[in-house]
Amino acid sequence: MTPVLLAVVDWHEFFFMLFALIACVFALAVVFAANIVRMAFYLIISLGATAGLFFLAGAEFVGAMQLMIYVGGTLVLLIFGVMLTAQKSFVDLKVTGGEWVMAAIAGGSLLALLLYAAFQVEDWRRPLTAEQREELIVADDAYDAAHIGMAVLGVRVDKARQPDEQLQKGMSGYLLPFEIVSVHLLVVLIGAGYLARTKLSTRGVRTATDASRGNVALPFTVKALIYLGAIASIAAGVACFVLAGSISGAIGLNLACMYVVGGLFFMNVLLKLIVLARQKWAVSALVIVALLQAATLFWGGAGLLIAIGFAVVALLPIGLLIFLLCSGQRSVWSQME
Amino acid sequence: MLLFAEVTVTHYMAVGAVLFVAGVVCMATKRNALGILMGIELVLNGANVNFIAFGSEYLREDSLGLDGQLMALFVIVLAAAEAAVALAIALNFYNNYATIDVDRADDLKG
């Protein structure tokens, strides 16, 4: 079965979707997270995923530099800054509701404009044809670090590849920007080092204290619901894998989608355990996973009715869980992380 | 549906747009100075994804080629330099005012 799976999946598209999803989701997580340390961690993951996108697009050197300079340098510096200023009261600076609305409006309209522009140009929506792909494989002269090194020293060795005469004349070396950037880096390092020197007067507290954790134990009903749900999800996931053929035949579902739904059941179990560890994001992730399963059922060919029925059945216990968590004078929800 | 088609420049531009807008919203809403800095990093990465997509020979016949990759490289280097200076400013602010909340930086307010 494995060789068939390797041949059937379009791996380029799979990896692009993987890296793109990780980059976008974690970039949005940076926006919505309140805890500054978590924001830094999500940013690292997002930028690592964009390095993966660079590798996929054929820019291996830039991807490697992204990982080394950005993730391994700039973000480590950022984390230093976060740790130096992570006093208890500054770790979770909240944003008011009104600001969120304005930011959502502005951000949403900007995103709509950019996506509209991206989809407008026909030339950008056309992938390479089969002959062009053939040429690429046969030619085998991809850009690599040697080309970039020579270009940065002023010699464009890829000039010969440009068929158009006029465009060839415009291909200049990058020696001047390289020298400017080098001097710029030197000046910036000296300046930043001078700016951030320790001064004699010590006004302002510099010690970082731990954020105190709310030690609330989850009530019995919530724990019972989570354990029952976990057992049900394990059973459903095992059923999906063992009885894959018969179930998918019965409801007319694609076999691969059956495995995806089964896998999502196991992810459901994992998320429930994370909810037991009092993490807030796991609850929203539970809702998203249930909706994903319904969507997979629908796209796999099971029909709209079955998909909606599944979504309702899956979301009912999650709704009950959310209700139990948020009810009460001093709700458990407010004390989760 | 575009989601299941071949990967084109438009896909990369969509990712770049999401990163860019996430960075802009981060810069606009965060009260922590380091949160704003993270927004700046996201914006620059969104632009970089666009540069790399147009410079990729696997996506377009007449791509930018090396120009796109070199542009992205210079953006990375300049972003690192600017992050260093911004961090120095933020740490200075924290040392002098005992807070990292930018809403407290209102000494010049009329």
Side-chain angles (χ1 to χ4, degrees), chain A residues 33-87:
Chain A
N35 188 330
I36 186 77
V37 184
R38 286 187 188 199
M39 277 169 56
F41 186 58
Y42 296 153
L43 188 62
I44 288 185
I45 299 180
S46 178
L47 295 190
T50 50
L53 282 177
F54 291 170
F55 278 106
L56 267 179
E60 289 100 1
F61 185 70
V62 182
M65 286 304 110
Q66 163 96 351
L67 283 174
M68 274 172 52
I69 300 176
Y70 236 122
V71 177
T74 309
L75 288 183
V76 170
L77 194 62
L78 201 54
I79 293 199
F80 268 106
V82 164
M83 289 305 170
L84 281 173
T85 60
Q87 257 206 303

Short mmCIF file of all heavy atoms in Angstrom, two decimals, chain A residues 33-87:
data_model
loop_
_atom_site.label_atom_id
_atom_site.label_comp_id
_atom_site.label_asym_id
_atom_site.label_seq_id
_atom_site.Cartn_x
_atom_site.Cartn_y
_atom_site.Cartn_z
N ALA A 33 -2.39 35.59 20.68
CA ALA A 33 -1.88 35.18 21.99
C ALA A 33 -1.66 36.42 22.83
O ALA A 33 -1.26 37.46 22.35
CB ALA A 33 -0.58 34.40 21.82
N ALA A 34 -1.93 36.27 24.13
CA ALA A 34 -1.72 37.40 25.04
C ALA A 34 -0.39 37.28 25.76
O ALA A 34 0.25 38.28 26.05
CB ALA A 34 -2.85 37.47 26.06
N ASN A 35 0.05 36.06 26.01
CA ASN A 35 1.28 35.83 26.74
C ASN A 35 2.47 36.08 25.82
O ASN A 35 2.57 35.50 24.75
CB ASN A 35 1.27 34.37 27.20
CG ASN A 35 2.41 34.07 28.14
OD1 ASN A 35 3.46 34.67 28.04
ND2 ASN A 35 2.18 33.14 29.03
N ILE A 36 3.38 36.96 26.23
CA ILE A 36 4.46 37.41 25.33
C ILE A 36 5.43 36.28 25.04
O ILE A 36 5.98 36.16 23.94
CB ILE A 36 5.18 38.64 25.93
CG1 ILE A 36 6.20 39.19 24.95
CG2 ILE A 36 5.86 38.30 27.22
CD1 ILE A 36 5.60 39.97 23.87
N VAL A 37 5.63 35.38 26.01
CA VAL A 37 6.59 34.29 25.78
C VAL A 37 6.03 33.32 24.74
O VAL A 37 6.76 32.83 23.88
CB VAL A 37 6.89 33.56 27.11
CG1 VAL A 37 7.93 32.51 26.90
CG2 VAL A 37 7.34 34.54 28.15
N ARG A 38 4.71 33.07 24.80
CA ARG A 38 4.12 32.19 23.80
C ARG A 38 4.16 32.82 22.43
O ARG A 38 4.36 32.13 21.43
CB ARG A 38 2.68 31.88 24.17
CG ARG A 38 2.62 30.94 25.31
CD ARG A 38 1.24 30.50 25.60
NE ARG A 38 1.26 29.75 26.84
CZ ARG A 38 0.31 28.93 27.21
NH1 ARG A 38 -0.73 28.78 26.44
NH2 ARG A 38 0.40 28.28 28.33
N MET A 39 3.96 34.14 22.37
CA MET A 39 4.05 34.82 21.08
C MET A 39 5.41 34.59 20.46
O MET A 39 5.52 34.31 19.27
CB MET A 39 3.83 36.32 21.27
CG MET A 39 2.39 36.73 21.33
SD MET A 39 2.20 38.41 21.86
CE MET A 39 3.19 39.29 20.69
N ALA A 40 6.46 34.69 21.25
CA ALA A 40 7.80 34.50 20.72
C ALA A 40 7.96 33.08 20.18
O ALA A 40 8.51 32.88 19.10
CB ALA A 40 8.84 34.77 21.81
N PHE A 41 7.45 32.10 20.90
CA PHE A 41 7.59 30.72 20.46
C PHE A 41 6.81 30.47 19.17
O PHE A 41 7.30 29.82 18.24
CB PHE A 41 7.11 29.78 21.56
CG PHE A 41 7.34 28.34 21.26
CD1 PHE A 41 8.62 27.88 21.01
CD2 PHE A 41 6.29 27.46 21.19
CE1 PHE A 41 8.84 26.55 20.72
CE2 PHE A 41 6.52 26.13 20.90
CZ PHE A 41 7.79 25.67 20.66
N TYR A 42 5.58 31.00 19.10
CA TYR A 42 4.79 30.82 17.88
C TYR A 42 5.48 31.49 16.70
O TYR A 42 5.43 30.99 15.57
CB TYR A 42 3.39 31.41 18.05
CG TYR A 42 2.55 30.74 19.10
CD1 TYR A 42 1.53 31.44 19.74
CD2 TYR A 42 2.76 29.42 19.45
CE1 TYR A 42 0.75 30.83 20.70
CE2 TYR A 42 1.98 28.82 20.41
CZ TYR A 42 0.99 29.53 21.03
OH TYR A 42 0.22 28.93 21.99
N LEU A 43 6.14 32.64 16.96
CA LEU A 43 6.83 33.33 15.87
C LEU A 43 7.98 32.48 15.34
O LEU A 43 8.20 32.41 14.13
CB LEU A 43 7.34 34.68 16.37
CG LEU A 43 7.90 35.59 15.30
CD1 LEU A 43 6.83 35.93 14.29
CD2 LEU A 43 8.45 36.85 15.91
N ILE A 44 8.69 31.81 16.24
CA ILE A 44 9.78 30.95 15.80
C ILE A 44 9.25 29.87 14.87
O ILE A 44 9.81 29.60 13.80
CB ILE A 44 10.50 30.30 17.01
CG1 ILE A 44 11.31 31.34 17.75
CG2 ILE A 44 11.38 29.16 16.57
CD1 ILE A 44 12.13 30.77 18.86
N ILE A 45 8.14 29.23 15.25
CA ILE A 45 7.59 28.17 14.41
C ILE A 45 7.14 28.73 13.08
O ILE A 45 7.38 28.14 12.01
CB ILE A 45 6.41 27.49 15.14
CG1 ILE A 45 6.88 26.86 16.43
CG2 ILE A 45 5.77 26.45 14.25
CD1 ILE A 45 5.80 26.17 17.18
N SER A 46 6.50 29.90 13.10
CA SER A 46 6.01 30.48 11.85
C SER A 46 7.17 30.79 10.91
O SER A 46 7.11 30.49 9.71
CB SER A 46 5.22 31.75 12.16
OG SER A 46 4.79 32.35 10.99
N LEU A 47 8.24 31.36 11.44
CA LEU A 47 9.37 31.70 10.57
C LEU A 47 10.11 30.47 10.11
O LEU A 47 10.65 30.42 9.00
CB LEU A 47 10.31 32.66 11.28
CG LEU A 47 9.69 34.02 11.60
CD1 LEU A 47 10.74 34.97 12.08
CD2 LEU A 47 9.00 34.58 10.40
N GLY A 48 10.13 29.42 10.93
CA GLY A 48 10.71 28.16 10.47
C GLY A 48 9.92 27.59 9.31
O GLY A 48 10.49 27.07 8.34
N ALA A 49 8.59 27.70 9.38
CA ALA A 49 7.77 27.19 8.28
C ALA A 49 7.99 28.01 7.01
O ALA A 49 7.97 27.47 5.90
CB ALA A 49 6.30 27.21 8.66
N THR A 50 8.19 29.33 7.13
CA THR A 50 8.47 30.11 5.92
C THR A 50 9.82 29.72 5.33
O THR A 50 10.00 29.75 4.10
CB THR A 50 8.48 31.62 6.19
OG1 THR A 50 9.30 31.87 7.30
CG2 THR A 50 7.11 32.14 6.43
N ALA A 51 10.78 29.31 6.18
CA ALA A 51 12.04 28.80 5.63
C ALA A 51 11.76 27.56 4.80
O ALA A 51 12.35 27.36 3.73
CB ALA A 51 13.02 28.49 6.75
N GLY A 52 10.83 26.70 5.27
CA GLY A 52 10.44 25.55 4.48
C GLY A 52 9.85 25.95 3.14
O GLY A 52 10.13 25.34 2.10
N LEU A 53 9.05 27.03 3.13
CA LEU A 53 8.48 27.51 1.88
C LEU A 53 9.57 27.98 0.93
O LEU A 53 9.51 27.76 -0.28
CB LEU A 53 7.52 28.67 2.14
CG LEU A 53 6.15 28.29 2.65
CD1 LEU A 53 5.35 29.54 2.94
CD2 LEU A 53 5.44 27.43 1.65
N PHE A 54 10.61 28.63 1.50
CA PHE A 54 11.72 29.08 0.66
C PHE A 54 12.41 27.89 0.01
O PHE A 54 12.76 27.91 -1.17
CB PHE A 54 12.74 29.85 1.49
CG PHE A 54 12.26 31.18 1.98
CD1 PHE A 54 12.98 31.90 2.90
CD2 PHE A 54 11.07 31.72 1.51
CE1 PHE A 54 12.53 33.13 3.36
CE2 PHE A 54 10.62 32.94 1.96
CZ PHE A 54 11.35 33.65 2.89
N PHE A 55 12.62 26.81 0.79
CA PHE A 55 13.27 25.63 0.24
C PHE A 55 12.44 25.04 -0.89
O PHE A 55 12.97 24.60 -1.91
CB PHE A 55 13.48 24.57 1.32
CG PHE A 55 14.69 24.80 2.17
CD1 PHE A 55 14.58 25.26 3.45
CD2 PHE A 55 15.95 24.56 1.65
CE1 PHE A 55 15.71 25.46 4.23
CE2 PHE A 55 17.09 24.76 2.42
CZ PHE A 55 16.95 25.22 3.72
N LEU A 56 11.12 25.03 -0.70
CA LEU A 56 10.24 24.46 -1.73
C LEU A 56 10.31 25.26 -3.02
O LEU A 56 10.20 24.70 -4.11
CB LEU A 56 8.80 24.45 -1.23
CG LEU A 56 8.33 23.19 -0.55
CD1 LEU A 56 6.90 23.38 -0.12
CD2 LEU A 56 8.45 22.02 -1.48
N ALA A 57 10.48 26.60 -2.91
CA ALA A 57 10.48 27.43 -4.10
C ALA A 57 11.82 27.41 -4.80
O ALA A 57 12.01 28.08 -5.80
CB ALA A 57 10.11 28.87 -3.73
N GLY A 58 12.78 26.67 -4.29
CA GLY A 58 14.07 26.57 -4.97
C GLY A 58 15.11 27.53 -4.45
O GLY A 58 16.21 27.58 -5.00
N ALA A 59 14.77 28.32 -3.42
CA ALA A 59 15.76 29.26 -2.89
C ALA A 59 16.40 28.65 -1.66
O ALA A 59 16.12 29.05 -0.53
CB ALA A 59 15.08 30.59 -2.55
N GLU A 60 17.29 27.65 -1.89
CA GLU A 60 17.83 26.91 -0.75
C GLU A 60 18.72 27.77 0.11
O GLU A 60 18.70 27.69 1.33
CB GLU A 60 18.61 25.69 -1.23
CG GLU A 60 17.75 24.59 -1.79
CD GLU A 60 17.75 24.63 -3.28
OE1 GLU A 60 18.44 25.49 -3.84
OE2 GLU A 60 17.05 23.82 -3.90
N PHE A 61 19.54 28.62 -0.55
CA PHE A 61 20.47 29.44 0.22
C PHE A 61 19.70 30.41 1.11
O PHE A 61 20.02 30.57 2.30
CB PHE A 61 21.40 30.21 -0.72
CG PHE A 61 22.45 31.00 -0.01
CD1 PHE A 61 23.48 30.36 0.65
CD2 PHE A 61 22.39 32.38 0.04
CE1 PHE A 61 24.44 31.07 1.32
CE2 PHE A 61 23.35 33.10 0.71
CZ PHE A 61 24.38 32.45 1.35
N VAL A 62 18.68 31.06 0.54
CA VAL A 62 17.90 32.01 1.34
C VAL A 62 17.18 31.29 2.47
O VAL A 62 17.08 31.81 3.58
CB VAL A 62 16.89 32.77 0.45
CG1 VAL A 62 16.14 33.77 1.27
CG2 VAL A 62 17.61 33.44 -0.68
N GLY A 63 16.70 30.08 2.19
CA GLY A 63 16.04 29.32 3.25
C GLY A 63 16.99 29.01 4.39
O GLY A 63 16.65 29.15 5.57
N ALA A 64 18.22 28.60 4.02
CA ALA A 64 19.20 28.31 5.06
C ALA A 64 19.54 29.57 5.85
O ALA A 64 19.68 29.54 7.07
CB ALA A 64 20.44 27.70 4.43
N MET A 65 19.67 30.71 5.13
CA MET A 65 19.98 31.96 5.81
C MET A 65 18.84 32.39 6.71
O MET A 65 19.03 32.93 7.80
CB MET A 65 20.26 33.06 4.78
CG MET A 65 21.58 32.94 4.09
SD MET A 65 22.95 32.88 5.24
CE MET A 65 23.45 31.19 5.06
N GLN A 66 17.60 32.15 6.27
CA GLN A 66 16.44 32.47 7.11
C GLN A 66 16.53 31.71 8.43
O GLN A 66 16.35 32.27 9.50
CB GLN A 66 15.17 32.08 6.34
CG GLN A 66 13.94 31.96 7.17
CD GLN A 66 13.12 33.22 7.15
OE1 GLN A 66 13.54 34.24 6.64
NE2 GLN A 66 11.92 33.15 7.70
N LEU A 67 16.86 30.40 8.33
CA LEU A 67 16.94 29.61 9.56
C LEU A 67 18.09 30.08 10.45
O LEU A 67 17.94 30.20 11.65
CB LEU A 67 17.12 28.13 9.22
CG LEU A 67 15.85 27.42 8.76
CD1 LEU A 67 16.18 26.02 8.33
CD2 LEU A 67 14.83 27.41 9.85
N MET A 68 19.24 30.39 9.81
CA MET A 68 20.39 30.76 10.62
C MET A 68 20.23 32.16 11.19
O MET A 68 20.37 32.37 12.39
CB MET A 68 21.66 30.70 9.76
CG MET A 68 22.28 29.33 9.70
SD MET A 68 23.60 29.26 8.51
CE MET A 68 24.59 30.64 9.01
N ILE A 69 19.96 33.14 10.32
CA ILE A 69 19.96 34.53 10.76
C ILE A 69 18.68 34.87 11.49
O ILE A 69 18.69 35.41 12.59
CB ILE A 69 20.14 35.48 9.55
CG1 ILE A 69 21.44 35.19 8.85
CG2 ILE A 69 20.09 36.91 10.01
CD1 ILE A 69 21.62 36.01 7.61
N TYR A 70 17.53 34.55 10.87
CA TYR A 70 16.28 34.97 11.46
C TYR A 70 15.94 34.13 12.68
O TYR A 70 15.86 34.63 13.79
CB TYR A 70 15.15 34.83 10.42
CG TYR A 70 14.41 36.09 10.19
CD1 TYR A 70 14.33 36.64 8.94
CD2 TYR A 70 13.79 36.75 11.23
CE1 TYR A 70 13.65 37.81 8.72
CE2 TYR A 70 13.11 37.92 11.03
CZ TYR A 70 13.04 38.45 9.78
OH TYR A 70 12.38 39.60 9.56
N VAL A 71 15.73 32.84 12.47
CA VAL A 71 15.29 32.01 13.58
C VAL A 71 16.38 31.86 14.63
O VAL A 71 16.16 32.05 15.82
CB VAL A 71 14.85 30.62 13.05
CG1 VAL A 71 14.47 29.72 14.20
CG2 VAL A 71 13.70 30.77 12.09
N GLY A 72 17.61 31.61 14.16
CA GLY A 72 18.68 31.35 15.11
C GLY A 72 19.34 32.59 15.65
O GLY A 72 20.07 32.53 16.61
N GLY A 73 19.09 33.77 15.05
CA GLY A 73 19.74 34.98 15.51
C GLY A 73 18.75 36.00 16.03
O GLY A 73 18.68 36.27 17.23
N THR A 74 17.97 36.52 15.12
CA THR A 74 17.06 37.61 15.48
C THR A 74 16.06 37.18 16.53
O THR A 74 15.79 37.90 17.50
CB THR A 74 16.33 38.10 14.23
OG1 THR A 74 17.28 38.37 13.23
CG2 THR A 74 15.54 39.35 14.53
N LEU A 75 15.47 35.99 16.35
CA LEU A 75 14.44 35.57 17.30
C LEU A 75 15.03 35.20 18.65
O LEU A 75 14.39 35.40 19.68
CB LEU A 75 13.63 34.41 16.72
CG LEU A 75 12.71 34.85 15.60
CD1 LEU A 75 11.90 33.69 15.12
CD2 LEU A 75 11.80 35.95 16.06
N VAL A 76 16.27 34.69 18.66
CA VAL A 76 16.91 34.41 19.94
C VAL A 76 17.14 35.72 20.67
O VAL A 76 16.93 35.83 21.89
CB VAL A 76 18.22 33.63 19.72
CG1 VAL A 76 19.02 33.56 21.00
CG2 VAL A 76 17.93 32.25 19.21
N LEU A 77 17.53 36.75 19.90
CA LEU A 77 17.69 38.08 20.49
C LEU A 77 16.38 38.58 21.06
O LEU A 77 16.33 39.13 22.17
CB LEU A 77 18.17 39.03 19.38
CG LEU A 77 18.73 40.37 19.79
CD1 LEU A 77 19.95 40.19 20.62
CD2 LEU A 77 19.04 41.18 18.55
N LEU A 78 15.30 38.34 20.32
CA LEU A 78 13.97 38.75 20.77
C LEU A 78 13.60 38.05 22.06
O LEU A 78 13.04 38.64 22.99
CB LEU A 78 12.96 38.43 19.67
CG LEU A 78 11.65 39.17 19.68
CD1 LEU A 78 11.91 40.65 19.69
CD2 LEU A 78 10.86 38.80 18.45
N ILE A 79 13.94 36.76 22.14
CA ILE A 79 13.61 36.00 23.34
C ILE A 79 14.43 36.50 24.52
O ILE A 79 13.93 36.58 25.65
CB ILE A 79 13.81 34.50 23.10
CG1 ILE A 79 12.78 34.03 22.11
CG2 ILE A 79 13.71 33.73 24.38
CD1 ILE A 79 12.56 32.57 22.12
N PHE A 80 15.69 36.89 24.25
CA PHE A 80 16.47 37.52 25.32
C PHE A 80 15.73 38.75 25.85
O PHE A 80 15.59 38.94 27.06
CB PHE A 80 17.84 37.96 24.79
CG PHE A 80 18.91 36.95 24.97
CD1 PHE A 80 19.38 36.22 23.90
CD2 PHE A 80 19.44 36.71 26.22
CE1 PHE A 80 20.37 35.28 24.08
CE2 PHE A 80 20.44 35.77 26.40
CZ PHE A 80 20.90 35.06 25.32
N GLY A 81 15.26 39.59 24.90
CA GLY A 81 14.54 40.79 25.31
C GLY A 81 13.29 40.45 26.09
O GLY A 81 12.99 41.08 27.11
N VAL A 82 12.56 39.41 25.64
CA VAL A 82 11.34 39.02 26.34
C VAL A 82 11.66 38.56 27.75
O VAL A 82 11.00 38.95 28.72
CB VAL A 82 10.63 37.90 25.55
CG1 VAL A 82 9.61 37.21 26.41
CG2 VAL A 82 9.97 38.46 24.32
N MET A 83 12.72 37.77 27.89
CA MET A 83 13.05 37.26 29.22
C MET A 83 13.53 38.35 30.15
O MET A 83 13.31 38.31 31.35
CB MET A 83 14.12 36.17 29.10
CG MET A 83 13.61 34.90 28.49
SD MET A 83 12.18 34.29 29.38
CE MET A 83 11.62 33.04 28.29
N LEU A 84 14.22 39.37 29.57
CA LEU A 84 14.71 40.44 30.42
C LEU A 84 13.58 41.32 30.92
O LEU A 84 13.71 41.97 31.96
CB LEU A 84 15.72 41.30 29.64
CG LEU A 84 17.12 40.71 29.52
CD1 LEU A 84 17.96 41.57 28.61
CD2 LEU A 84 17.76 40.64 30.89
N THR A 85 12.47 41.37 30.16
CA THR A 85 11.40 42.29 30.56
C THR A 85 10.14 41.56 30.98
O THR A 85 9.09 42.15 31.09
CB THR A 85 11.04 43.21 29.39
OG1 THR A 85 10.60 42.40 28.30
CG2 THR A 85 12.21 44.04 28.96
N ALA A 86 10.25 40.26 31.23
CA ALA A 86 9.03 39.48 31.51
C ALA A 86 8.71 39.51 32.99
O ALA A 86 8.76 38.50 33.67
CB ALA A 86 9.21 38.05 31.04
N GLN A 87 8.35 40.68 33.46
CA GLN A 87 7.85 40.76 34.82
C GLN A 87 6.43 40.24 34.85
O GLN A 87 5.77 40.20 33.83
CB GLN A 87 7.85 42.21 35.27
CG GLN A 87 8.97 42.54 36.18
CD GLN A 87 8.56 43.71 37.04
OE1 GLN A 87 8.22 44.74 36.51
NE2 GLN A 87 8.57 43.52 38.33
#
